[in-house]
Amino acid sequence: MSRTEYVEIEGVPLLATLVPGDGVGLLALHGSNEGGTAELAALVARRCGATSLVFTQPGARRPVHIPSPRMVAARSSLLREFLDGVRLTVSLHGHMRPHAWDTLFLGGGNREAATVLAEELLALAPRFQAVTDLAEIPPALRGLHPRNPVNLARLGGVQVELPLPARTTGGADVPPRPVVDALAAGVARLAQPPATSTQERC
């Protein structure tokens, strides 16, 4: 059962929508700014039975981009609940780097989880390049700030920066199927207990 909460951060009204699930969490902090990220979080979470939390700015003509480290849990009870309830976060963002129109940057503090997602992207969405080497990720997209929500779950998480073609289709906020499939497969692997040798796909 989804729950919603209206919050105000730095004078910006936001709607948070939480759908509880298992211990991996899909997070979209900028659902109105970065087209397709809210939809991608919801699709992957629903496919895998994962938890999702999406922030949007309903009705805003020009949504305000609040940097992730300033989307603090103290201002949103649903964000606190999300971070308390998941053990690992996959935080979805959009980038507009013209030189990297086919590149996903996988930052965040959990580098092992970033590698898992990259493997599934290579297998199921080979059109896109998945970069995990932090030295090759633009500093602003690395997601390493200690107050960034992606790093506040028990096992930290992965900040996935997606170019426009990896999160929209035909000008609409409809994520392409191969990216949905790849992220769902990666989340399914991350959700498996460490002792489980057989990895199931969503």
Side-chain angles (χ1 to χ4, degrees):
M1 182 71 69
S2 67
R3 288 185 287 116
T4 60
E5 173 189 39
Y6 285 95
V7 297
E8 186 172 300
I9 299 176
E10 300 185 357
V12 178
L14 298 151
L15 174 65
T17 302
L18 175 71
V19 181
D22 73 13
V24 175
L26 278 297
L27 180 62
L29 292 172
H30 306 120
S32 294
N33 308 74
E34 300 167 350
T37 57
E39 292 76 11
L40 186 56
L43 283 169
V44 172
R46 187 161 57 246
R47 176 95 66 91
C48 298
T51 299
S52 68
L53 178 63
V54 171
F55 286 86
T56 56
Q57 298 174 40
R61 286 189 173 185
R62 295 184 178 179
V64 177
H65 184 278
I66 302 171
S68 299
R70 303 211 300 259
M71 300 280 287
V72 291
R75 303 184 184 180
S76 168
S77 63
L78 289 186
L79 180 54
R80 289 196 303 272
E81 181 177 335
F82 174 87
L83 293 171
D84 288 342
V86 304
R87 66 177 183 276
L88 185 145
T89 299
V90 176
S91 187
L92 303 176
H93 297 260
H95 76 77
M96 298 292 285
R97 305 286 169 132
H99 66 283
W101 215 231
D102 62 350
T103 303
L104 285 78
F105 297 108
L106 305 183
N110 192 318
R111 308 314 302 148
E112 182 179 352
T115 298
V116 169
L117 293 182
E119 290 170 353
E120 296 298 340
L121 286 161
L122 177 63
L124 298 176
R127 170 189 171 188
F128 299 101
Q129 179 184 8
V131 174
T132 59
D133 186 342
L134 290 173
E136 296 181 12
I137 299 176
L141 305 183
R142 290 176 185 167
L144 296 177
H145 195 289
R147 289 198 301 273
N148 188 326
V150 73
N151 298 314
L152 298 180
R154 179 162 54 88
L155 299 180
V158 185
Q159 180 157 306
V160 183
E161 294 276 356
L162 301 108
L164 196 62
R167 51 190 166 91
T168 64
T169 304
D173 292 342
V174 178
R177 179 65 180 270
V179 174
V180 177
D181 290 345
L183 290 179
V187 168
R189 286 178 59 187
L190 294 174
Q192 295 294 321
T196 301
S197 59
T198 301
Q199 305 294 348
E200 298 179 357
R201 293 180 183 272
C202 294

